[in-house]
Amino acid sequence: MMNPKLKELRAKAMALPLQPGVYIMKNAQGEIIYIGKAKKLKNRVSQYFGSQNNHTEKVRRMVDNVDDFEYIITDSEFECLILECSLIKQHTPKYNILLKDDKGYSYIRVTNEPWRRLSYVLQKADDGARYIGPYKSSYYVKSSVEEANKIFGLPTCNRRFPEDFGRYRPCLNFHIKQCCAPCTGRVKLKDYNERVENALEYLSGDSSKTLRELQERMTVAAEALDFERAAHYRDQIAAMKKMRDKQKVVDIHLDELDVIAVARQESKGSATVLRFNESRLYDTENFIIDDIDDEVDFRSQFILRYYTLRQEIPSHIALDGEIEDIENTERWLSEKKGKRVYLSVPQRGTQKNLVEMCRKNAFESLGQLKGVTGRQLSVLDELKDLLGLEKIPEYIESYDISNLAGADNVAGMVVFENARPLKSAYRKFKIKSFSGQDDYGSMAEVLTRRLNEYKKAQEEGVSTGFGRLPDLILLDGGKGQVGAVLPVVAASGLNIPVFGMVKDDHHRTRAIVSDMAEIALRPNRAAFTFVTNIQDEVHRYAIGFNRQQRKRVLGSSLEEIPGIGKKRAKELIRFFRTIKNISNASLEELEQAPGMTHPAALNVYNYFHEDA
C-alpha cells in the first residue's frame, strides 16, 4: 500500500536547501528507521517521495513506513560522513546496513589433568582448566592452537588417558607424524608434558625463541649420544619451520593490510575481511547482510559500519571494487587511526590476487545459504562483469536450432540455474510457421512462442517453468541469431539480455557476441568453461530431439507395410539404423531383426522391391 503522506513528504523535501547534510527518516511511532547523507539534501531526499517505479524493493518498503523526516545541515561532505556514522552507531536504524560487534574474546584452554590437552574456546568455564588469553581474534587462536598441536604431536581425539592405553590402534595423525600417539601406552608422561610445555611456550611467546631453545636441546641431546631424543627435537624444529613458511603466504611489503570483498545475489549480500600483519593472515571475518540493492552502495556502507566498530585500522585497505566518496572515506579513516590510510582497488600483483581470494570467500559464504558452491556463484559473477549485466544471471536459458538439410526443423531449450543444469525446465520445440532451413526465422519463432507462454503463465498466476523469466538468454549462433531475437524481446516489452555463442573452425566455443560486438572468452577461464558447457549441452539436446523426430518419421512410413506396427517399426529402425539399410537388406537379414517373422519380413522385402 502506497504511503498516504507521500505528497506531503515530497512537498517538505522540495523545500530543503541544496546543501550537504544528514537526513533522518522516522515512522509513525517516532522511531528512526533510516539515516542517510547527501551532498544536496533537496535533490536526494525528494527522490524518495517521487515516482516509486525506479526504487528498489527495500527503498519502497522504507518509504511506505516513513511518517516524517528531520535533517541536519553540515558545513561539508566530510562532516556529513562523520555525523552519519555517529548517528547510525547510536540509533541502529532498521533500514541501514548494520553490523553486530560480536567479536568476543577467545581463549586457549589447557585441561587440568595429568595428560593435558590444548584447545581453543570462546568463553571461560568454571571447570578447573587453565585459560590463556583473552585474544581478540578467534581466527588467530584457532589456527595457532591447531598449529601447536600438529607441531608438537599432541592428540586432538576423544580418547582418554590412561584409561584407553592399548585399547585402540593409533589413528592417521600418528602415521603422518602429527600425533605422538599416547594411546599406545608407549609415551612417557614426562616426555608428553615436555611437549605440552613446548607448545605453551610456542603459543605464549615468540616462535623464534622457541625454535632456538629446541635447537639448543637437540644439540645437547646429540652430544650426550641420546640420538632418539635429538631426533625428536629435530622433527619438531622441522615441523615449526614448515609451518612458519606456510604461514608466510603473501609478500605484500606492507606492515598492515586489510582486504575487503563483497558478493551479492538477489537481495542477499556477503562481505569478507582478510586482515594481514607482517605478511601473515591473522584474522578473517565474514558478514551476511539482508536487503542489498546495489553493490557499490553495499561496499561503501559496509566499510563505514565495519571500521566504526573497530579500533585497529590498517594503513592500507585493498577493495574489490569502487566505493562512493572515496576521498572523504580515506580522510575519516586517517583521522580515526591518527595516520594516513590508503584505499585502493588493485589491478595487478599480489594484492589483486588477495582481493580475488577474498571475493571467492565472500561468494563461498553466500553460496552456503543457497546450497551452491562459491565457485558456481563466482563464475556467474565473472559472467555478469564480462557481459556488463546489471545483476548475476542466476537463471539462464539457452536455445539451439537443429535440422537435416531443412527437414525435421526443431529447437531445444536448456536451463541453467545457479550455474547448474535444471533439466526439469528443459523444453523442445517443433518449428511450425514454415518449412525448410531458416535458422534466423526458426530462432525468432521459438522465442516468440516462449515469451507468449510467459504472458499466459502470468495471467494464470504461475511463476515456474515458462512463468519464470530468464536473467540471460544465450543463443547457439552469431550476430544473425541475436539480431533475429532482439526485436522479439523488445516487442514483448521485457528487458532480457540476449547474446550469441560462436564457435571456431574446430567447433569449439571461442566468444560471446551481441548485436554490436564480439566478446572474447579465453582470458576469463571460468566463464569460458561455463559458456562452453552451456553451448555443448544445448547442442546435444537439440540434436537429440532432431534424431528422435527423424526416427519417428521413419517409423511411421514403415507402419504402412502390412504386418508392421509401431513396435516392429521401432525395432527395425534400431536394428538397421536407416531406411536405406532396410531397403537394401535381404530377406534373410530382415528375418534376423528382433520381433520379425517370415511373413512380416517378406512384406517388408516386397515393399522395397516392388519392381522385382
Short mmCIF file of all heavy atoms in Angstrom, two decimals, residues 517-560:
data_model
loop_
_atom_site.label_atom_id
_atom_site.label_comp_id
_atom_site.label_asym_id
_atom_site.label_seq_id
_atom_site.Cartn_x
_atom_site.Cartn_y
_atom_site.Cartn_z
N ALA A 517 28.90 -6.26 -31.01
CA ALA A 517 30.32 -6.56 -30.84
C ALA A 517 30.52 -8.01 -30.42
O ALA A 517 29.58 -8.74 -30.11
CB ALA A 517 30.93 -5.63 -29.80
N GLU A 518 31.79 -8.40 -30.42
CA GLU A 518 32.19 -9.75 -30.01
C GLU A 518 33.04 -9.65 -28.76
O GLU A 518 33.91 -8.79 -28.65
CB GLU A 518 32.96 -10.42 -31.14
CG GLU A 518 33.34 -11.86 -30.85
CD GLU A 518 33.98 -12.54 -32.06
OE1 GLU A 518 33.27 -12.70 -33.08
OE2 GLU A 518 35.17 -12.90 -31.97
N ILE A 519 32.78 -10.54 -27.78
CA ILE A 519 33.48 -10.52 -26.50
C ILE A 519 34.30 -11.80 -26.39
O ILE A 519 33.74 -12.91 -26.35
CB ILE A 519 32.49 -10.42 -25.32
CG1 ILE A 519 31.60 -9.19 -25.50
CG2 ILE A 519 33.23 -10.38 -24.00
CD1 ILE A 519 30.41 -9.16 -24.58
N ALA A 520 35.61 -11.66 -26.33
CA ALA A 520 36.49 -12.83 -26.22
C ALA A 520 36.32 -13.48 -24.86
O ALA A 520 36.15 -12.81 -23.84
CB ALA A 520 37.93 -12.42 -26.43
N LEU A 521 36.40 -14.82 -24.84
CA LEU A 521 36.17 -15.55 -23.60
C LEU A 521 37.43 -16.15 -23.00
O LEU A 521 37.52 -16.33 -21.79
CB LEU A 521 35.18 -16.71 -23.85
CG LEU A 521 33.69 -16.36 -23.83
CD1 LEU A 521 32.88 -17.56 -24.27
CD2 LEU A 521 33.26 -15.93 -22.44
N ARG A 522 38.41 -16.43 -23.81
CA ARG A 522 39.55 -17.20 -23.32
C ARG A 522 40.30 -16.58 -22.14
O ARG A 522 40.78 -17.28 -21.27
CB ARG A 522 40.52 -17.48 -24.47
CG ARG A 522 39.92 -18.47 -25.48
CD ARG A 522 40.96 -19.06 -26.39
NE ARG A 522 40.35 -20.00 -27.32
CZ ARG A 522 40.11 -21.27 -27.03
NH1 ARG A 522 40.41 -21.73 -25.84
NH2 ARG A 522 39.56 -22.07 -27.91
N PRO A 523 40.44 -15.23 -22.05
CA PRO A 523 41.13 -14.68 -20.87
C PRO A 523 40.36 -14.94 -19.57
O PRO A 523 40.95 -14.93 -18.50
CB PRO A 523 41.19 -13.17 -21.18
CG PRO A 523 41.08 -13.08 -22.66
CD PRO A 523 40.17 -14.20 -23.06
N ASN A 524 39.05 -15.15 -19.67
CA ASN A 524 38.23 -15.42 -18.48
C ASN A 524 37.96 -16.92 -18.43
O ASN A 524 36.93 -17.40 -18.90
CB ASN A 524 36.91 -14.63 -18.56
CG ASN A 524 37.17 -13.14 -18.70
OD1 ASN A 524 37.49 -12.66 -19.77
ND2 ASN A 524 37.03 -12.42 -17.61
N ARG A 525 38.88 -17.64 -17.84
CA ARG A 525 38.88 -19.10 -17.95
C ARG A 525 37.60 -19.73 -17.39
O ARG A 525 37.01 -20.61 -18.01
CB ARG A 525 40.10 -19.66 -17.20
CG ARG A 525 40.28 -21.15 -17.38
CD ARG A 525 40.55 -21.51 -18.83
NE ARG A 525 40.31 -22.93 -19.08
CZ ARG A 525 40.42 -23.50 -20.27
NH1 ARG A 525 40.76 -22.78 -21.32
NH2 ARG A 525 40.20 -24.78 -20.43
N ALA A 526 37.17 -19.28 -16.21
CA ALA A 526 36.00 -19.88 -15.60
C ALA A 526 34.75 -19.62 -16.44
O ALA A 526 33.94 -20.53 -16.68
CB ALA A 526 35.80 -19.35 -14.18
N ALA A 527 34.58 -18.39 -16.91
CA ALA A 527 33.43 -18.06 -17.76
C ALA A 527 33.49 -18.83 -19.07
O ALA A 527 32.46 -19.29 -19.59
CB ALA A 527 33.38 -16.56 -18.01
N PHE A 528 34.69 -18.97 -19.63
CA PHE A 528 34.86 -19.71 -20.88
C PHE A 528 34.39 -21.16 -20.73
O PHE A 528 33.63 -21.68 -21.56
CB PHE A 528 36.33 -19.67 -21.30
CG PHE A 528 36.68 -20.63 -22.40
CD1 PHE A 528 36.27 -20.39 -23.70
CD2 PHE A 528 37.41 -21.78 -22.13
CE1 PHE A 528 36.60 -21.29 -24.71
CE2 PHE A 528 37.74 -22.68 -23.12
CZ PHE A 528 37.33 -22.43 -24.44
N THR A 529 34.82 -21.80 -19.65
CA THR A 529 34.43 -23.19 -19.42
C THR A 529 32.92 -23.31 -19.21
O THR A 529 32.28 -24.22 -19.74
CB THR A 529 35.17 -23.75 -18.19
OG1 THR A 529 36.57 -23.63 -18.39
CG2 THR A 529 34.82 -25.20 -17.96
N PHE A 530 32.36 -22.37 -18.48
CA PHE A 530 30.93 -22.41 -18.19
C PHE A 530 30.10 -22.22 -19.46
O PHE A 530 29.16 -22.98 -19.72
CB PHE A 530 30.59 -21.32 -17.17
CG PHE A 530 29.13 -21.21 -16.83
CD1 PHE A 530 28.42 -22.32 -16.39
CD2 PHE A 530 28.47 -20.00 -16.96
CE1 PHE A 530 27.07 -22.22 -16.07
CE2 PHE A 530 27.13 -19.89 -16.65
CZ PHE A 530 26.43 -21.00 -16.21
N VAL A 531 30.44 -21.22 -20.27
CA VAL A 531 29.69 -20.97 -21.51
C VAL A 531 29.86 -22.15 -22.48
O VAL A 531 28.91 -22.54 -23.17
CB VAL A 531 30.14 -19.65 -22.16
CG1 VAL A 531 29.51 -19.47 -23.53
CG2 VAL A 531 29.76 -18.48 -21.26
N THR A 532 31.06 -22.72 -22.52
CA THR A 532 31.28 -23.91 -23.36
C THR A 532 30.36 -25.05 -22.94
O THR A 532 29.77 -25.74 -23.79
CB THR A 532 32.75 -24.35 -23.28
OG1 THR A 532 33.59 -23.31 -23.76
CG2 THR A 532 32.99 -25.59 -24.11
N ASN A 533 30.22 -25.26 -21.64
CA ASN A 533 29.32 -26.31 -21.15
C ASN A 533 27.88 -26.06 -21.56
O ASN A 533 27.15 -26.99 -21.94
CB ASN A 533 29.42 -26.41 -19.63
CG ASN A 533 30.74 -26.96 -19.16
OD1 ASN A 533 31.47 -27.59 -19.92
ND2 ASN A 533 31.09 -26.71 -17.91
N ILE A 534 27.46 -24.79 -21.50
CA ILE A 534 26.09 -24.46 -21.90
C ILE A 534 25.89 -24.73 -23.39
O ILE A 534 24.89 -25.34 -23.80
CB ILE A 534 25.78 -22.98 -21.58
CG1 ILE A 534 25.74 -22.75 -20.07
CG2 ILE A 534 24.45 -22.56 -22.21
CD1 ILE A 534 25.51 -21.30 -19.67
N GLN A 535 26.85 -24.28 -24.21
CA GLN A 535 26.71 -24.47 -25.66
C GLN A 535 26.72 -25.95 -26.03
O GLN A 535 25.94 -26.40 -26.88
CB GLN A 535 27.81 -23.72 -26.39
CG GLN A 535 27.61 -23.67 -27.90
CD GLN A 535 28.55 -22.72 -28.59
OE1 GLN A 535 29.63 -22.42 -28.07
NE2 GLN A 535 28.17 -22.22 -29.77
N ASP A 536 27.58 -26.72 -25.42
CA ASP A 536 27.63 -28.16 -25.70
C ASP A 536 26.32 -28.83 -25.27
O ASP A 536 25.81 -29.72 -25.97
CB ASP A 536 28.81 -28.81 -24.97
CG ASP A 536 30.15 -28.39 -25.55
OD1 ASP A 536 30.16 -27.85 -26.68
OD2 ASP A 536 31.18 -28.59 -24.88
N GLU A 537 25.79 -28.41 -24.13
CA GLU A 537 24.56 -29.03 -23.62
C GLU A 537 23.36 -28.72 -24.50
O GLU A 537 22.55 -29.61 -24.82
CB GLU A 537 24.31 -28.58 -22.18
CG GLU A 537 23.01 -29.07 -21.55
CD GLU A 537 22.97 -30.57 -21.32
OE1 GLU A 537 23.96 -31.26 -21.65
OE2 GLU A 537 21.95 -31.08 -20.82
N VAL A 538 23.20 -27.46 -24.92
CA VAL A 538 22.03 -27.11 -25.75
C VAL A 538 22.16 -27.75 -27.13
O VAL A 538 21.15 -28.16 -27.73
CB VAL A 538 21.86 -25.58 -25.84
CG1 VAL A 538 22.93 -24.93 -26.69
CG2 VAL A 538 20.47 -25.24 -26.36
N HIS A 539 23.37 -27.86 -27.64
CA HIS A 539 23.59 -28.51 -28.93
C HIS A 539 23.23 -30.00 -28.84
O HIS A 539 22.55 -30.54 -29.73
CB HIS A 539 25.04 -28.32 -29.36
CG HIS A 539 25.34 -28.83 -30.74
ND1 HIS A 539 24.81 -28.27 -31.88
CD2 HIS A 539 26.12 -29.87 -31.15
CE1 HIS A 539 25.24 -28.94 -32.95
NE2 HIS A 539 26.04 -29.91 -32.52
N ARG A 540 23.69 -30.64 -27.79
CA ARG A 540 23.37 -32.06 -27.58
C ARG A 540 21.87 -32.28 -27.49
O ARG A 540 21.30 -33.21 -28.09
CB ARG A 540 24.04 -32.56 -26.30
CG ARG A 540 23.71 -34.00 -25.92
CD ARG A 540 24.00 -34.29 -24.48
NE ARG A 540 23.10 -33.56 -23.59
CZ ARG A 540 21.84 -33.94 -23.33
NH1 ARG A 540 21.31 -34.99 -23.92
NH2 ARG A 540 21.10 -33.23 -22.50
N TYR A 541 21.19 -31.40 -26.75
CA TYR A 541 19.76 -31.56 -26.51
C TYR A 541 18.96 -31.35 -27.80
O TYR A 541 18.03 -32.11 -28.11
CB TYR A 541 19.31 -30.56 -25.45
CG TYR A 541 17.91 -30.77 -24.94
CD1 TYR A 541 17.56 -31.92 -24.23
CD2 TYR A 541 16.92 -29.81 -25.18
CE1 TYR A 541 16.28 -32.10 -23.76
CE2 TYR A 541 15.63 -29.99 -24.70
CZ TYR A 541 15.32 -31.14 -24.00
OH TYR A 541 14.04 -31.32 -23.54
N ALA A 542 19.32 -30.33 -28.60
CA ALA A 542 18.60 -30.05 -29.84
C ALA A 542 18.81 -31.16 -30.87
O ALA A 542 17.87 -31.61 -31.53
CB ALA A 542 19.04 -28.71 -30.41
N ILE A 543 20.06 -31.63 -31.01
CA ILE A 543 20.35 -32.70 -31.97
C ILE A 543 19.64 -33.99 -31.55
O ILE A 543 19.11 -34.73 -32.39
CB ILE A 543 21.87 -32.93 -32.07
CG1 ILE A 543 22.49 -31.84 -32.93
CG2 ILE A 543 22.18 -34.29 -32.67
CD1 ILE A 543 23.96 -32.02 -33.19
N GLY A 544 19.61 -34.27 -30.26
CA GLY A 544 18.91 -35.46 -29.77
C GLY A 544 17.43 -35.43 -30.13
O GLY A 544 16.85 -36.45 -30.53
N PHE A 545 16.81 -34.25 -30.00
CA PHE A 545 15.39 -34.13 -30.35
C PHE A 545 15.20 -34.30 -31.86
O PHE A 545 14.24 -34.93 -32.32
CB PHE A 545 14.87 -32.77 -29.90
CG PHE A 545 13.42 -32.54 -30.16
CD1 PHE A 545 12.49 -33.58 -29.99
CD2 PHE A 545 12.95 -31.30 -30.59
CE1 PHE A 545 11.14 -33.37 -30.22
CE2 PHE A 545 11.61 -31.09 -30.82
CZ PHE A 545 10.70 -32.12 -30.65
N ASN A 546 16.12 -33.76 -32.67
CA ASN A 546 16.04 -33.90 -34.11
C ASN A 546 16.12 -35.37 -34.52
O ASN A 546 15.37 -35.83 -35.40
CB ASN A 546 17.15 -33.09 -34.76
CG ASN A 546 17.14 -33.18 -36.27
OD1 ASN A 546 17.85 -33.99 -36.86
ND2 ASN A 546 16.32 -32.34 -36.92
N ARG A 547 17.00 -36.12 -33.89
CA ARG A 547 17.13 -37.55 -34.20
C ARG A 547 15.87 -38.31 -33.81
O ARG A 547 15.43 -39.22 -34.53
CB ARG A 547 18.35 -38.12 -33.48
CG ARG A 547 19.67 -37.66 -34.08
CD ARG A 547 20.85 -38.08 -33.22
NE ARG A 547 22.11 -37.66 -33.81
CZ ARG A 547 23.26 -37.64 -33.16
NH1 ARG A 547 23.31 -38.02 -31.87
NH2 ARG A 547 24.36 -37.25 -33.77
N GLN A 548 15.30 -37.94 -32.69
CA GLN A 548 14.04 -38.58 -32.29
C GLN A 548 12.96 -38.35 -33.33
O GLN A 548 12.19 -39.26 -33.66
CB GLN A 548 13.58 -38.03 -30.93
CG GLN A 548 14.42 -38.46 -29.74
CD GLN A 548 13.95 -37.80 -28.46
OE1 GLN A 548 12.97 -37.07 -28.44
NE2 GLN A 548 14.67 -38.06 -27.39
N GLN A 549 12.90 -37.12 -33.83
CA GLN A 549 11.90 -36.79 -34.83
C GLN A 549 12.11 -37.59 -36.11
O GLN A 549 11.15 -38.10 -36.71
CB GLN A 549 11.94 -35.30 -35.16
CG GLN A 549 11.38 -34.41 -34.06
CD GLN A 549 9.91 -34.69 -33.83
OE1 GLN A 549 9.54 -35.35 -32.85
NE2 GLN A 549 9.06 -34.25 -34.74
N ARG A 550 13.37 -37.71 -36.55
CA ARG A 550 13.65 -38.47 -37.77
C ARG A 550 13.27 -39.93 -37.61
O ARG A 550 12.67 -40.54 -38.50
CB ARG A 550 15.13 -38.35 -38.13
CG ARG A 550 15.56 -36.94 -38.51
CD ARG A 550 16.76 -36.96 -39.45
NE ARG A 550 17.89 -37.70 -38.91
CZ ARG A 550 18.85 -37.15 -38.16
NH1 ARG A 550 18.79 -35.87 -37.85
NH2 ARG A 550 19.84 -37.87 -37.73
N LYS A 551 13.58 -40.48 -36.45
CA LYS A 551 13.22 -41.88 -36.21
C LYS A 551 11.72 -42.07 -36.19
O LYS A 551 11.18 -43.07 -36.68
CB LYS A 551 13.83 -42.36 -34.90
CG LYS A 551 15.34 -42.57 -34.96
CD LYS A 551 15.87 -43.12 -33.65
CE LYS A 551 17.38 -43.35 -33.74
NZ LYS A 551 17.93 -43.90 -32.47
N ARG A 552 11.02 -41.07 -35.63
CA ARG A 552 9.57 -41.17 -35.57
C ARG A 552 8.98 -41.14 -36.97
O ARG A 552 8.07 -41.91 -37.31
CB ARG A 552 9.00 -40.02 -34.74
CG ARG A 552 7.51 -40.10 -34.51
CD ARG A 552 6.96 -38.82 -33.93
NE ARG A 552 7.12 -37.71 -34.85
CZ ARG A 552 6.33 -37.50 -35.91
NH1 ARG A 552 5.35 -38.35 -36.19
NH2 ARG A 552 6.53 -36.49 -36.71
N VAL A 553 9.50 -40.26 -37.83
CA VAL A 553 9.01 -40.16 -39.21
C VAL A 553 9.32 -41.44 -39.98
O VAL A 553 8.48 -41.97 -40.72
CB VAL A 553 9.63 -38.93 -39.92
CG1 VAL A 553 9.27 -38.92 -41.39
CG2 VAL A 553 9.15 -37.66 -39.25
N LEU A 554 10.54 -41.95 -39.81
CA LEU A 554 10.90 -43.20 -40.47
C LEU A 554 10.01 -44.34 -40.01
O LEU A 554 9.53 -45.16 -40.80
CB LEU A 554 12.37 -43.53 -40.18
CG LEU A 554 13.42 -42.58 -40.77
CD1 LEU A 554 14.80 -42.98 -40.28
CD2 LEU A 554 13.35 -42.57 -42.28
N GLY A 555 9.77 -44.38 -38.72
CA GLY A 555 8.92 -45.44 -38.17
C GLY A 555 7.51 -45.37 -38.71
O GLY A 555 6.90 -46.40 -39.05
N SER A 556 6.96 -44.15 -38.85
CA SER A 556 5.59 -44.02 -39.33
C SER A 556 5.47 -44.47 -40.78
O SER A 556 4.43 -45.01 -41.20
CB SER A 556 5.12 -42.57 -39.19
OG SER A 556 5.92 -41.71 -39.98
N SER A 557 6.54 -44.28 -41.61
CA SER A 557 6.50 -44.75 -43.00
C SER A 557 6.51 -46.26 -43.06
O SER A 557 5.88 -46.87 -43.93
CB SER A 557 7.67 -44.16 -43.79
OG SER A 557 8.90 -44.66 -43.29
N LEU A 558 7.21 -46.93 -42.18
CA LEU A 558 7.25 -48.39 -42.16
C LEU A 558 5.92 -48.99 -41.74
O LEU A 558 5.59 -50.12 -42.12
CB LEU A 558 8.36 -48.87 -41.21
CG LEU A 558 9.80 -48.61 -41.63
CD1 LEU A 558 10.77 -48.99 -40.51
CD2 LEU A 558 10.15 -49.37 -42.90
N GLU A 559 5.16 -48.23 -40.94
CA GLU A 559 3.87 -48.74 -40.46
C GLU A 559 2.85 -48.89 -41.58
O GLU A 559 1.78 -49.49 -41.39
CB GLU A 559 3.33 -47.80 -39.37
CG GLU A 559 4.13 -47.86 -38.08
CD GLU A 559 3.70 -46.80 -37.09
OE1 GLU A 559 2.53 -46.39 -37.13
OE2 GLU A 559 4.54 -46.37 -36.27
N GLU A 560 3.15 -48.34 -42.78
CA GLU A 560 2.26 -48.53 -43.93
C GLU A 560 2.34 -49.94 -44.47
O GLU A 560 1.45 -50.38 -45.21
CB GLU A 560 2.64 -47.54 -45.03
CG GLU A 560 2.49 -46.07 -44.63
CD GLU A 560 3.00 -45.15 -45.71
OE1 GLU A 560 3.44 -45.67 -46.77
OE2 GLU A 560 2.98 -43.92 -45.51
#
